[in-house]
mmCIF file of all heavy atoms in Angstrom:
data_model
loop_
_atom_site.group_PDB
_atom_site.id
_atom_site.type_symbol
_atom_site.label_atom_id
_atom_site.label_comp_id
_atom_site.label_asym_id
_atom_site.label_seq_id
_atom_site.Cartn_x
_atom_site.Cartn_y
_atom_site.Cartn_z
ATOM 1 N N LYS A 23 5.942 18.451 7.328
ATOM 2 C CA LYS A 23 6.059 19.915 7.208
ATOM 3 C C LYS A 23 4.869 20.634 7.819
ATOM 4 O O LYS A 23 4.968 21.792 8.223
ATOM 5 C CB LYS A 23 6.216 20.321 5.741
ATOM 6 C CG LYS A 23 7.603 20.019 5.235
ATOM 7 C CD LYS A 23 7.810 20.545 3.831
ATOM 8 C CE LYS A 23 9.184 20.105 3.322
ATOM 9 N NZ LYS A 23 9.170 19.790 1.906
ATOM 10 N N ALA A 24 3.724 19.973 7.875
ATOM 11 C CA ALA A 24 2.515 20.592 8.443
ATOM 12 C C ALA A 24 2.171 19.961 9.793
ATOM 13 O O ALA A 24 1.030 20.043 10.243
ATOM 14 C CB ALA A 24 1.352 20.442 7.480
ATOM 15 N N LEU A 25 3.167 19.369 10.444
ATOM 16 C CA LEU A 25 2.947 18.706 11.743
ATOM 17 C C LEU A 25 1.773 17.727 11.678
ATOM 18 O O LEU A 25 0.978 17.617 12.616
ATOM 19 C CB LEU A 25 2.734 19.742 12.861
ATOM 20 C CG LEU A 25 3.874 20.754 13.077
ATOM 21 C CD1 LEU A 25 3.590 21.636 14.294
ATOM 22 C CD2 LEU A 25 5.213 20.059 13.246
ATOM 23 N N ALA A 27 -0.931 17.839 10.041
ATOM 24 C CA ALA A 27 -2.288 18.402 9.981
ATOM 25 C C ALA A 27 -3.145 17.482 9.120
ATOM 26 O O ALA A 27 -2.721 17.004 8.063
ATOM 27 C CB ALA A 27 -2.254 19.814 9.406
ATOM 28 N N LYS A 59 7.689 14.935 16.747
ATOM 29 C CA LYS A 59 7.245 16.288 17.123
ATOM 30 C C LYS A 59 5.722 16.397 17.196
ATOM 31 O O LYS A 59 5.196 17.178 17.993
ATOM 32 C CB LYS A 59 7.791 17.331 16.128
ATOM 33 C CG LYS A 59 7.338 18.734 16.511
ATOM 34 C CD LYS A 59 8.095 19.881 15.879
ATOM 35 C CE LYS A 59 7.521 21.184 16.448
ATOM 36 N NZ LYS A 59 7.887 22.368 15.729
ATOM 37 N N ALA A 63 -1.280 17.916 14.565
ATOM 38 C CA ALA A 63 -1.581 19.233 15.162
ATOM 39 C C ALA A 63 -2.986 19.703 14.824
ATOM 40 O O ALA A 63 -3.275 20.896 14.882
ATOM 41 C CB ALA A 63 -0.544 20.264 14.735
ATOM 42 N N GLY A 64 -3.840 18.763 14.426
ATOM 43 C CA GLY A 64 -5.248 19.118 14.222
ATOM 44 C C GLY A 64 -5.688 18.981 12.788
ATOM 45 O O GLY A 64 -4.916 18.556 11.916
ATOM 46 N N ALA A 65 -6.947 19.331 12.560
ATOM 47 C CA ALA A 65 -7.429 19.403 11.189
ATOM 48 C C ALA A 65 -6.626 20.485 10.472
ATOM 49 O O ALA A 65 -6.034 21.349 11.111
ATOM 50 C CB ALA A 65 -8.916 19.745 11.195
ATOM 51 N N ASP A 66 -6.611 20.418 9.150
ATOM 52 C CA ASP A 66 -5.771 21.344 8.381
ATOM 53 C C ASP A 66 -6.443 22.715 8.316
ATOM 54 O O ASP A 66 -7.394 22.924 7.553
ATOM 55 C CB ASP A 66 -5.544 20.780 6.973
ATOM 56 C CG ASP A 66 -4.475 21.559 6.231
ATOM 57 O OD1 ASP A 66 -4.404 22.801 6.414
ATOM 58 O OD2 ASP A 66 -3.712 20.933 5.487
ATOM 59 N N ILE A 67 -5.932 23.638 9.137
ATOM 60 C CA ILE A 67 -6.558 24.966 9.253
ATOM 61 C C ILE A 67 -6.505 25.699 7.919
ATOM 62 O O ILE A 67 -7.472 26.356 7.508
ATOM 63 C CB ILE A 67 -5.861 25.795 10.357
ATOM 64 C CG1 ILE A 67 -5.957 25.061 11.705
ATOM 65 C CG2 ILE A 67 -6.486 27.183 10.470
ATOM 66 C CD1 ILE A 67 -5.054 25.625 12.801
ATOM 67 N N LYS A 68 -5.385 25.552 7.213
ATOM 68 C CA LYS A 68 -5.243 26.281 5.947
ATOM 69 C C LYS A 68 -6.239 25.758 4.900
ATOM 70 O O LYS A 68 -6.732 26.523 4.071
ATOM 71 C CB LYS A 68 -3.813 26.176 5.435
ATOM 72 C CG LYS A 68 -2.829 26.947 6.326
ATOM 73 C CD LYS A 68 -1.384 26.609 5.993
ATOM 74 C CE LYS A 68 -0.443 27.173 7.029
ATOM 75 N NZ LYS A 68 0.919 26.636 6.925
ATOM 76 N N ILE A 84 -16.025 15.501 8.096
ATOM 77 C CA ILE A 84 -15.585 14.648 9.204
ATOM 78 C C ILE A 84 -16.219 13.267 9.177
ATOM 79 O O ILE A 84 -15.517 12.274 9.187
ATOM 80 C CB ILE A 84 -15.838 15.260 10.610
ATOM 81 C CG1 ILE A 84 -14.985 16.517 10.776
ATOM 82 C CG2 ILE A 84 -15.492 14.268 11.720
ATOM 83 C CD1 ILE A 84 -15.359 17.324 11.986
ATOM 84 N N TRP A 88 -13.148 10.568 8.779
ATOM 85 C CA TRP A 88 -12.523 10.587 10.101
ATOM 86 C C TRP A 88 -13.008 9.447 10.983
ATOM 87 O O TRP A 88 -12.250 8.887 11.757
ATOM 88 C CB TRP A 88 -12.869 11.902 10.819
ATOM 89 C CG TRP A 88 -12.151 13.101 10.351
ATOM 90 C CD1 TRP A 88 -12.267 13.699 9.129
ATOM 91 C CD2 TRP A 88 -11.206 13.881 11.094
ATOM 92 N NE1 TRP A 88 -11.467 14.803 9.086
ATOM 93 C CE2 TRP A 88 -10.821 14.939 10.280
ATOM 94 C CE3 TRP A 88 -10.687 13.778 12.387
ATOM 95 C CZ2 TRP A 88 -9.910 15.899 10.683
ATOM 96 C CZ3 TRP A 88 -9.789 14.727 12.806
ATOM 97 C CH2 TRP A 88 -9.388 15.779 11.964
ATOM 98 N N GLY A 108 -6.473 19.373 18.833
ATOM 99 C CA GLY A 108 -7.691 19.459 18.034
ATOM 100 C C GLY A 108 -8.066 18.102 17.469
ATOM 101 O O GLY A 108 -8.183 17.114 18.204
ATOM 102 N N GLY A 109 -8.202 18.052 16.144
ATOM 103 C CA GLY A 109 -8.528 16.788 15.500
ATOM 104 C C GLY A 109 -7.492 15.704 15.767
ATOM 105 O O GLY A 109 -7.813 14.510 15.714
ATOM 106 N N GLU A 112 -8.501 14.257 18.969
ATOM 107 C CA GLU A 112 -9.749 13.519 18.730
ATOM 108 C C GLU A 112 -9.477 12.191 18.018
ATOM 109 O O GLU A 112 -10.068 11.166 18.351
ATOM 110 C CB GLU A 112 -10.710 14.385 17.907
ATOM 111 C CG GLU A 112 -11.212 15.586 18.709
ATOM 112 C CD GLU A 112 -11.967 16.606 17.869
ATOM 113 O OE1 GLU A 112 -11.421 17.057 16.843
ATOM 114 O OE2 GLU A 112 -13.101 16.949 18.234
ATOM 115 N N GLU A 132 -9.376 24.477 19.570
ATOM 116 C CA GLU A 132 -10.246 25.038 18.525
ATOM 117 C C GLU A 132 -10.799 26.407 18.904
ATOM 118 O O GLU A 132 -10.997 27.275 18.055
ATOM 119 C CB GLU A 132 -11.405 24.072 18.227
ATOM 120 C CG GLU A 132 -11.003 22.803 17.486
ATOM 121 C CD GLU A 132 -10.580 21.646 18.382
ATOM 122 O OE1 GLU A 132 -10.276 21.882 19.576
ATOM 123 O OE2 GLU A 132 -10.534 20.513 17.883
ATOM 124 N N ILE A 135 -9.180 29.459 17.638
ATOM 125 C CA ILE A 135 -9.289 29.825 16.219
ATOM 126 C C ILE A 135 -10.755 29.976 15.803
ATOM 127 O O ILE A 135 -11.108 29.826 14.633
ATOM 128 C CB ILE A 135 -8.534 28.838 15.292
ATOM 129 C CG1 ILE A 135 -9.003 27.396 15.505
ATOM 130 C CG2 ILE A 135 -7.027 28.954 15.488
ATOM 131 C CD1 ILE A 135 -8.544 26.427 14.414
ATOM 132 N N GLY A 140 -14.850 19.218 16.654
ATOM 133 C CA GLY A 140 -15.923 18.725 15.791
ATOM 134 C C GLY A 140 -15.792 17.261 15.446
ATOM 135 O O GLY A 140 -16.593 16.719 14.693
HETATM 136 C C1 HXC B 301 -2.399 23.493 9.102
HETATM 137 C C2 HXC B 301 -0.565 23.536 10.468
HETATM 138 C C3 HXC B 301 -1.348 23.120 11.566
HETATM 139 C C4 HXC B 301 -2.745 22.875 11.337
HETATM 140 C C5 HXC B 301 0.673 23.380 12.243
HETATM 141 N N1 HXC B 301 0.667 23.679 10.940
HETATM 142 N N2 HXC B 301 -0.534 23.040 12.645
HETATM 143 N N3 HXC B 301 -1.084 23.710 9.251
HETATM 144 N N4 HXC B 301 -3.203 23.097 10.091
HETATM 145 N N5 HXC B 301 -3.549 22.430 12.293
HETATM 146 C C6 HXC B 301 1.798 24.105 10.116
HETATM 147 C C7 HXC B 301 2.203 25.530 10.395
HETATM 148 O O1 HXC B 301 1.377 26.421 9.703
HETATM 149 C C8 HXC B 301 3.619 25.528 9.881
HETATM 150 O O2 HXC B 301 3.618 25.595 8.482
HETATM 151 C C9 HXC B 301 4.120 24.141 10.262
HETATM 152 O O3 HXC B 301 2.963 23.357 10.440
HETATM 153 C C10 HXC B 301 4.904 24.140 11.557
HETATM 154 O O4 HXC B 301 4.103 24.755 12.564
HETATM 155 P P1 HXC B 301 4.635 25.930 13.515
HETATM 156 O O5 HXC B 301 3.436 26.626 14.018
HETATM 157 O O6 HXC B 301 5.671 26.746 12.812
HETATM 158 O O7 HXC B 301 5.359 25.070 14.651
HETATM 159 P P2 HXC B 301 5.564 25.463 16.193
HETATM 160 O O8 HXC B 301 5.945 26.908 16.316
HETATM 161 O O9 HXC B 301 6.468 24.424 16.740
HETATM 162 O O10 HXC B 301 4.093 25.324 16.863
HETATM 163 C C11 HXC B 301 3.488 24.042 16.941
HETATM 164 C C12 HXC B 301 1.976 24.184 17.269
HETATM 165 C C13 HXC B 301 1.308 25.167 16.288
HETATM 166 C C14 HXC B 301 1.834 24.724 18.713
HETATM 167 C C15 HXC B 301 1.370 22.818 17.209
HETATM 168 O O11 HXC B 301 1.631 24.756 14.950
HETATM 169 C C16 HXC B 301 -0.180 25.228 16.381
HETATM 170 O O12 HXC B 301 -0.721 25.893 17.293
HETATM 171 N N6 HXC B 301 -0.892 24.587 15.447
HETATM 172 C C17 HXC B 301 -2.340 24.662 15.361
HETATM 173 C C18 HXC B 301 -2.973 23.836 16.413
HETATM 174 C C19 HXC B 301 -4.488 23.914 16.345
HETATM 175 O O13 HXC B 301 -5.082 25.003 16.496
HETATM 176 N N7 HXC B 301 -5.132 22.780 16.094
HETATM 177 C C20 HXC B 301 -6.578 22.699 15.997
HETATM 178 C C21 HXC B 301 -6.982 22.821 14.582
HETATM 179 S S1 HXC B 301 -8.706 22.865 14.374
HETATM 180 P P3 HXC B 301 4.436 26.733 7.679
HETATM 181 O O14 HXC B 301 4.131 26.455 6.256
HETATM 182 O O15 HXC B 301 3.937 28.039 8.179
HETATM 183 O O16 HXC B 301 5.864 26.471 8.062
HETATM 184 C C22 HXC B 301 -9.187 21.288 14.470
HETATM 185 C C23 HXC B 301 -10.663 21.102 14.347
HETATM 186 C C24 HXC B 301 -11.000 19.653 14.462
HETATM 187 O O17 HXC B 301 -8.437 20.401 14.641
HETATM 188 C C25 HXC B 301 -12.430 19.480 14.205
HETATM 189 C C26 HXC B 301 -12.713 18.208 13.489
HETATM 190 C C27 HXC B 301 -12.197 18.149 12.123
#
Side-chain angles (χ1 to χ4, degrees):
K23 285 186 185 144
L25 302 185
K59 180 163 183 195
D66 191 324
I67 301 167
K68 291 168 190 167
I84 295 169
W88 285 67
E112 292 170 307
E132 289 88 343
I135 56 167

